[in-house]
Amino acid sequence: MIMTKIILLIISCISVALSDIKENDVRSGKLFWPEYRNPVVEKIMSAVGANPYATGDFFDFLRDSYPLPRGLKEPYSEYDFVIVGAGSAGSALASRLTRNRNTTVLLIEAGKPEMLLTDVPVVAPYFQDTPYVWHYYMEPQPGVCMGMKNQRCFWPRGRAVGGTSVINYMIYTRGRPQDWNRIAADGNYGWAYNDVLKYYIEMEKSDLKGYEKAAHRGRDGDLPVEFPPIKQVYESFLTNDIFYYIFTHKVLERFILIMTTRLVEAFLKAGEILGYPTVDYNAPDKIGFGRVQATISRGHRFSAAKSFLHGHKNRPNLHILPESRATKILIDPVTKTAYGVEYIRNDLLHTVFARKEVILSAGPIASPQLLMLSGIGPEEHLKSVGIPVIQDLQVGQRLYDHICFPGLIFTLNTTEISFIENRDVSLKVILDWLQHGDNLLSTPGAVEGIGYIRTPVSNDPDPTVPDIELINIGGSIISDGGIGASRAVRRGMRISETLFDEAYGPIDGQDSWSVFPLLIHPKSFGHIKLRDNNPLSHPKMYGNYLTDPSDVATFLASFRYIQSLAATPALQKYGAKTYLPKFKTCIQHVPDTDEYWECALRTLTATLHHQIATTRMGPDGDPDAVVDPELRVRGIKNLRVVDSGIIPRTISAHTNGPAIMIGYKAADMIRKTWNI
């Protein structure tokens, strides 16, 4: 009983706590550390009856744990496989390999296990500002991210058991068949759509109001894929006598207005009016609009760790080491064979050996960084930072990323229709979420719908290939504002508060609607380099956003399309009207012209955390390939990369689902190699 009260108190206080945090405390991650002393924190911990600052981490009692099995105090010195990174791919891979009880696996992860608050889908934006992410920043690039703090693009990546799946928006997409068929056509055998489809089916445990019955969907896997279960909540409010007597008729009416999610209904209807049907957007033969499919179960986030590790952490052959940072892959420079990993745990340097393989699943930034630190990368660059070269490969020399524009906002003349944090999050809502998991807290960061469109400027030869993904929000980036609110979204994106207040202050905290356009197939690409030879330094990341003019043209076409959505009767019913923010960076441009919107795009340039191709896959003869189609690092024995960095082309997908699929497929490749 007391634990339940503590949990409820913690969740109900999160908005207040975050709204009181000083900027420097947020940036340094003190939300979760003893240095952050806040009256709300003191109140929470007084309920525990203990001194939180004696433990070093006052949320530790809510955190999952991964003790070594069978009472082991220390890991073994040698395993069959050593996997670096317990993210989406690494978690799935470790789970699959250790199904064979004779196969031993050590899974090394730099971050902590997740905890209760990461389970709440709607608070995803909060975790961009905590120790659950690597606080990466792109190197300064003139003409992009002009409205961000220090005019630098922020690239948070997950630092947790579960990786980025612990802090992302849980959106589940697979990529179009053309994406994977083109990857295979480049010479990557085994990666055509039909090849990867069987893994998507195998990993899914989908419950999608009938869509799961289709041949292309899976129902028996470990990864839940569901619609956020919002609508059912009214029935529980209206039929549950206890809630009926607690709430007045006025409050019940207001909850019905919020929970019917009329904005997503309007979004879907607007798409139909403009020729895009409501579909299962993960179906291989259809593009259109649909309700967001998310990696959640009963309204709770299901990370890769929950899906693939939590239920198997007592396997005697699976050892998981959180808070352990890999610093180098050990490679014999003569035989060019990987044989182990150096890592830091409890401030001490350790070495572990791999009998069969070392596998990098550290993600599209950390995996290429570790390769280069270990002597695998562009020869000239490695020499420039004093690293002996073992294998000259184009590691990190190509980087694609999905970027979006979050600033196209429409005001509404209907109140209490969109999500507004300081109005809609209350203890009553929290209680209902804990009981049923089917209210607004279940929406993945307030995302409610997804749409795929082909703009008039697309030059793709296949007319069924989209160039823009539309992310429908049940509100907008101003929904986290107003008096007493956390402003977590804008802080998580690192938007300059002064610029934001000047541009959006007149409508901050009001009912609104927005769609984030995501550029699916950017022509611009960047690269990654080491900053120095210190394994604890962040690498240098160059996005080169919008350097190809066609990327700007595609964005501008998407803005006009979104405005046409807003002009349909479906959204005019709510008085949707384009709000033209007054960016100080764009005062020279006439509002609502293409020049104005390009400037706005360059002011609020936001990543969706989908970096790929930094350890790109390619066939023999591809001079830019780092790994072969079986994910083996070229020229090095017993070393593979298994994460989203191997994807060589842009795909129509948020990368969490594909990364898990890659983990599944890699497990089969590895078992075949070693006959296990």
Side-chain angles (χ1 to χ4, degrees):
M1 179 63 72
I2 187 170
M3 182 59 71
T4 301
K5 290 180 179 179
I6 293 167
I7 291 170
L8 293 177
L9 182 58
I10 289 171
I11 300 179
S12 65
C13 290
I14 187 171
S15 294
V16 179
L18 285 171
S19 67
D20 289 343
I21 296 172
K22 295 179 182 179
E23 178 183 332
N24 289 338
D25 289 342
V26 176
R27 185 181 302 279
S28 65
K30 291 182 181 178
L31 169 62
F32 295 150
W33 300 100
E35 292 88 346
Y36 178 66
R37 305 184 74 101
N38 178 278
V40 175
V41 173
E42 304 286 354
K43 184 178 179 182
I44 291 171
M45 298 315 296
S46 69
V48 185
N51 176 9
Y53 306 107
T55 67
D57 178 357
F58 69 78
F59 273 128
D60 195 53
F61 75 103
L62 291 176
R63 213 177 294 280
D64 199 357
S65 63
Y66 290 92
L68 293 173
R70 295 183 174 178
L72 284 174
K73 300 299 182 183
E74 294 295 331
Y76 302 148
S77 61
E78 187 176 60
Y79 293 81
D80 291 322
F81 299 96
V82 176
I83 302 174
V84 177
S88 298
S91 295
L93 176 62
S95 175
R96 304 275 289 176
L97 287 179
T98 53
R99 286 183 175 183
N100 183 324
R101 295 185 179 184
N102 295 319
T103 299
T104 58
V105 171
L106 177 66
L107 181 59
I108 299 172
E109 169 54 49
K112 289 177 176 285
E114 59 202 317
M115 54 136 177
L116 176 74
L117 296 183
T118 59
D119 284 2
V120 189
V122 81
V123 301
Y126 294 103
F127 291 95
Q128 312 297 312
D129 250 345
T130 69
Y132 273 117
V133 301
W134 294 100
H135 292 253
Y136 292 131
Y137 285 88
M138 196 174 89
E139 293 300 297
Q141 179 188 337
V144 299
C145 297
M146 298 186 298
M148 307 309 190
K149 292 177 181 177
N150 299 320
Q151 297 188 14
R152 293 184 68 184
C153 307
F154 181 48
W155 283 13
R157 297 288 308 179
R159 182 177 182 171
V161 179
T164 302
S165 72
V166 172
I167 56 97
N168 68 0
Y169 281 63
M170 295 146 279
I171 296 171
Y172 179 76
T173 51
R174 296 168 160 187
R176 304 300 305 156
Q178 296 92 330
D179 298 332
W180 297 106
N181 289 338
R182 288 172 178 177
I183 288 172
D186 289 340
N188 294 296
Y189 57 88
W191 290 91
Y193 177 73
N194 286 338
D195 296 318
V196 302
L197 177 61
K198 66 178 182 180
Y199 294 107
Y200 280 124
I201 293 172
E202 187 177 357
M203 73 195 209
E204 280 184 11
K205 184 180 181 180
S206 56
D207 181 4
L208 297 165
K209 309 306 177 189
Y211 286 162
E212 73 276 2
K213 297 177 183 178
H216 65 275
R217 303 302 314 218
R219 289 185 280 177
D220 302 317
D222 294 320
L223 180 72
V225 179
E226 299 179 6
F227 295 130
I230 296 177
K231 280 195 169 182
Q232 296 90 329
V233 76
Y234 325 107
E235 292 153 10
S236 88
F237 272 119
L238 293 172
T239 60
N240 188 317
D241 289 339
I242 295 174
F243 278 105
Y244 182 84
Y245 287 113
I246 290 176
F247 289 98
T248 66
H249 287 285
K250 182 177 180 181
V251 174
L252 278 170
E253 182 181 25
R254 191 183 130 208
F255 267 93
I256 293 170
L257 286 174
I258 296 169
M259 299 305 179
T260 50
T261 61
R262 289 183 289 170
L263 287 175
V264 72
E265 299 291 348
F267 172 71
L268 299 177
K269 182 62 177 177
E272 291 174 359
I273 292 171
L274 297 185
Y276 286 95
T278 299
V279 299
D280 172 3
Y281 55 74
N282 279 315
D285 57 341
K286 300 175 181 177
I287 65 169
F289 290 27
R291 296 183 185 279
V292 66
Q293 300 175 23
T295 51
I296 61 176
S297 178
R298 297 178 59 83
H300 292 65
R301 176 194 292 273
F302 248 69
S303 69
K306 276 193 174 58
S307 298
F308 304 109
L309 297 180
H310 183 85
H312 306 306
K313 59 185 178 181
N314 292 325
R315 285 178 178 172
N317 57 331
L318 173 59
H319 293 181
I320 302 168
L321 288 187
E323 300 182 81
S324 303
R325 184 168 181 175
T327 56
K328 186 178 182 181
I329 308 158
L330 300 175
I331 303 169
D332 186 313
V334 178
T335 64
K336 294 190 176 183
T337 301
Y339 62 89
V341 173
E342 287 184 352
Y343 65 96
I344 297 172
R345 183 178 182 228
N346 297 328
D347 297 323
L348 296 175
L349 184 64
H350 301 263
T351 299
V352 62
F353 299 103
R355 284 185 288 265
K356 291 182 169 67
E357 289 188 20
V358 174
I359 303 165
L360 281 184
S361 295
I365 295 174
S367 283
Q369 180 186 19
L370 270 171
L371 286 174
M372 289 188 283
L373 287 168
S374 307
I376 301 171
E379 182 175 7
E380 184 177 348
H381 172 56
L382 296 189
K383 288 180 176 178
S384 73
V385 292
I387 294 176
V389 179
I390 295 176
Q391 186 70 19
D392 181 13
L393 293 174
Q394 295 301 296
V395 175
Q397 295 306 290
R398 182 157 299 221
L399 182 155
Y400 291 106
D401 192 13
H402 281 158
I403 58 175
C404 74
F405 177 64
L408 183 53
I409 295 175
F410 298 85
T411 57
L412 306 173
N413 64 10
T414 305
T415 59
E416 298 187 335
I417 187 174
S418 65
F419 173 73
I420 297 179
E421 178 184 300
N422 62 345
R423 180 187 70 194
D424 299 329
V425 177
S426 68
L427 183 57
K428 299 179 183 68
V429 174
I430 293 162
L431 283 165
D432 185 73
W433 176 78
L434 285 168
Q435 182 179 4
H436 303 290
D438 59 1
N439 64 22
L440 61 87
L441 299 187
S442 302
T443 62
V447 176
E448 296 186 316
I450 296 290
Y452 289 97
I453 65 169
R454 178 185 172 91
T455 68
V457 301
S458 174
N459 61 3
D460 194 292
D462 188 331
T464 67
V465 172
D467 57 350
I468 286 287
E469 177 183 301
L470 303 175
I471 304 174
N472 178 66
I473 311 295
S476 69
I477 56 173
I478 66 169
S479 298
D480 67 349
I483 298 173
S486 70
R487 296 189 163 204
V489 175
R490 65 196 79 174
R491 286 174 174 170
M493 289 183 175
R494 298 295 193 269
I495 300 174
S496 162
E497 291 190 19
T498 301
L499 179 136
F500 192 100
D501 290 344
E502 290 175 352
Y504 295 103
I507 60 168
D508 203 0
Q510 296 182 23
D511 281 277
S512 59
W513 170 72
S514 66
V515 171
F516 292 5
L518 178 156
L519 182 66
I520 296 174
H521 298 295
K523 303 298 188 295
S524 309
F525 63 89
H527 62 279
I528 290 180
K529 290 184 176 181
L530 293 177
R531 189 170 302 277
D532 50 43
N533 59 15
N534 182 348
L536 303 184
S537 298
H538 286 180
K540 291 183 177 182
M541 294 161 285
Y542 301 86
N544 293 339
Y545 292 158
L546 305 176
T547 50
D548 191 303
S550 66
D551 291 346
V552 175
T554 305
F555 264 119
L556 294 177
S558 75
F559 296 167
R560 299 308 182 189
Y561 180 86
I562 295 168
Q563 288 179 318
S564 70
L565 284 175
T568 63
L571 281 151
Q572 282 306 299
K573 180 165 63 173
Y574 307 117
K577 181 181 179 182
T578 304
Y579 178 74
L580 300 172
K582 295 181 180 179
F583 293 117
K584 62 183 179 183
T585 51
C586 306
I587 55 176
Q588 71 275 29
H589 299 300
V590 177
D592 207 25
T593 60
D594 284 355
E595 293 77 14
Y596 166 86
W597 284 117
E598 178 178 348
C599 180
L601 169 65
R602 293 181 178 278
T603 299
L604 296 184
T605 323
T607 179
L608 269 295
H609 329 301
H610 300 164
Q611 295 89 4
I612 62 168
T614 52
T615 52
R616 67 193 306 266
M617 173 175 60
D620 293 341
D622 181 348
D624 297 323
V626 176
V627 301
D628 68 12
E630 295 185 38
L631 310 186
R632 299 169 296 200
V633 175
R634 293 195 170 278
I636 303 294
K637 299 173 185 176
N638 300 344
L639 178 62
R640 296 191 207 229
V641 179
V642 179
D643 59 40
S644 60
I646 64 97
I647 301 173
R649 282 176 168 261
T650 56
I651 59 174
S652 311
H654 297 238
T655 49
N656 182 51
I660 294 170
M661 177 275 291
I662 290 167
Y664 265 59
K665 184 171 171 55
D668 277 359
M669 293 174 177
I670 293 166
R671 287 190 295 227
K672 183 178 179 180
T673 297
W674 297 98
N675 194 27
I676 56 176

